[in-house]
Amino acid sequence: MKKIRLWLVCMWLAVFNVLHAQQDSLQISLLTCSPGTEIYSLFGHTALRVQNFSRNLDVVFNYGMFSFNTPHFIYRFIKGETDYQLGVIPYVYFEAEYAERGSSVYQQVLNLSAEEKQTLLHLLTENYLPENRTYRYNYFYDNCTTRARDQIERCIKGTVVYPDSFPNRSFRSIVHEFTVGAAWDELGIDLCLGAEADTPIDKRQQMFSPFYMKEYASDAYIIGDNGQKRPLVLKEEKVVDVAPAEIHSSFLSPLWCATFLLAISVLIGWWQWRRNKICWIWELLLFGAQGIAGCIIAFLFFFSVHPTVGSNWLLILFNPIPLLYLPFMVYFSVTRRKDWYHVVNMVYLTLFIVIFPFCLQEFNLTVLPLALSLLVTSASHVLVLSKKQ
């Protein structure tokens, strides 16, 4: 605890010394970090670097600080109530951390006047006050990248003009650009995002992504209050140059596993028809898993404040109804009574598969064999009961 307090005191002294630097000795840069291998680092990272050459100080303001040890972290994350913090660390530690994990770091030195630098420093240090440093994180609209961009724009005496936006981009399409090779992570994200994630977004919304922000900043310019035009970025360089961390793709991709599940469902259905017997344990497992997945998606749909999750058409396929109905399903199966649930489910799933290509939402292809597995299981159940009659 004493070491932590000492470190915080040192950080405050560093920030104080930076603020009292000679105006011509300051340099402020936008840092963009390459993606890592963990799901929270797949999309890269943004921070602001402040250098005071006269005092030999070099610190990084990082809006991406969080702790897994926060009480109820998983629940709060799912509900969209995750809190992040602004942290200040020496640049050498920041550089070492990203070099160790295999992430290169790109630096864009901002073309700011002396007054603008002082204003930006004031904004950052004000944000770092204990009562201000914590903020409610929102992945698409309020994250480490948008916070850095907003502070830069607030300090400028004039207007920042960005180049034309990249066409045909949506939140989901940008996410997919950074989940190549991480199929399971991509599937998990796709299951949570709704139709709103597939609508076209403008340049400002695209800047939620660190590397999109980097590209926009490269060609942006400032029109000052006096009408003069200057580039936003003075120079660019790669300050950490390391081999990218390798993402180890699993041999068992989601699509392969879902297709295998479909094959098993067909085999079990054929076995049930030949034996004239319903395997209720298989139905318990399959429809139970559907219901559990449905509970998560339903919670996101109705209670989470995450953006885009409230428009998820997958609620049609994954909802809590199968889980709630399981006791009745087992009862009808054991007592060999006709269960109308499976008849209704057949029609329901068939309609879902038919409208699958025409939905306003982009579905992960893995969803199709999952839906077919459920359809085959219900169909085999109905066929077995019809054969007995």
Side-chain angles (χ1 to χ4, degrees), residues 35-94:
T37 56
E38 301 295 333
I39 187 170
Y40 59 83
S41 63
L42 283 176
F43 311 99
H45 183 54
T46 301
L48 289 168
R49 180 184 185 184
V50 178
Q51 295 169 271
N52 177 350
F53 298 109
S54 65
R55 295 180 181 272
N56 196 30
L57 288 171
D58 195 351
V59 295
V60 173
F61 287 81
N62 182 1
Y63 281 99
M65 307 296 288
F66 69 95
S67 173
F68 286 116
N69 296 323
T70 304
H72 313 297
F73 178 85
I74 295 177
Y75 170 77
R76 290 172 63 87
F77 178 80
I78 295 175
K79 198 170 184 295
E81 296 180 348
T82 309
D83 290 331
Y84 273 46
Q85 285 190 348
L86 170 63
V88 182
I89 60 174
Y91 172 76
V92 290
Y93 294 159
F94 184 88

Side-chain angles (χ1 to χ4, degrees), residues 224-274:
D225 290 339
N226 56 5
Q228 292 185 346
K229 180 179 175 180
R230 55 191 160 108
L232 175 64
V233 174
L234 194 60
K235 65 176 181 177
E236 300 186 27
E237 59 183 324
K238 184 186 283 188
V239 291
V240 177
D241 190 1
V242 294
E246 184 178 352
I247 299 178
H248 298 284
S249 300
S250 173
F251 170 74
L252 300 176
S253 70
L255 184 58
W256 190 95
C257 291
T259 304
F260 181 73
L261 178 66
L262 175 57
I264 293 296
S265 299
V266 171
L267 287 174
I268 291 178
W270 176 81
W271 177 86
Q272 289 181 143
W273 185 80
R274 286 294 302 270

Side-chain angles (χ1 to χ4, degrees), residues 33 45 62 94-105 240 242:
C33 310
H45 183 54
N62 182 1
F94 184 88
E95 180 185 73
E97 177 185 348
Y98 281 87
E100 183 179 0
R101 82 175 194 185
S103 294
S104 296
V105 179
V240 177
V242 294

Side-chain angles (χ1 to χ4, degrees), residues 160-275:
V160 181
V161 179
Y162 297 99
D164 293 338
S165 62
F166 294 97
N168 304 319
R169 296 298 197 278
S170 65
F171 286 127
R172 195 190 304 272
S173 70
I174 293 177
V175 167
H176 283 180
E177 290 180 31
F178 296 92
T179 53
V180 175
W184 286 101
D185 293 330
E186 183 176 292
L187 173 63
I189 294 171
D190 278 343
L191 292 178
C192 296
L193 297 181
E196 189 183 344
D198 298 309
T199 58
I201 56 176
D202 59 27
K203 68 178 75 175
R204 197 155 190 86
Q205 291 171 307
Q206 292 173 17
M207 291 179 200
F208 84 92
S209 169
F211 274 85
Y212 272 75
M213 181 65 220
K214 176 180 177 295
E215 291 300 315
Y216 278 115
S218 293
D219 296 322
Y221 58 89
I222 300 168
I223 298 180
D225 290 339
N226 56 5
Q228 292 185 346
K229 180 179 175 180
R230 55 191 160 108
L232 175 64
V233 174
L234 194 60
K235 65 176 181 177
E236 300 186 27
E237 59 183 324
K238 184 186 283 188
V239 291
V240 177
D241 190 1
V242 294
E246 184 178 352
I247 299 178
H248 298 284
S249 300
S250 173
F251 170 74
L252 300 176
S253 70
L255 184 58
W256 190 95
C257 291
T259 304
F260 181 73
L261 178 66
L262 175 57
I264 293 296
S265 299
V266 171
L267 287 174
I268 291 178
W270 176 81
W271 177 86
Q272 289 181 143
W273 185 80
R274 286 294 302 270
R275 297 291 299 271

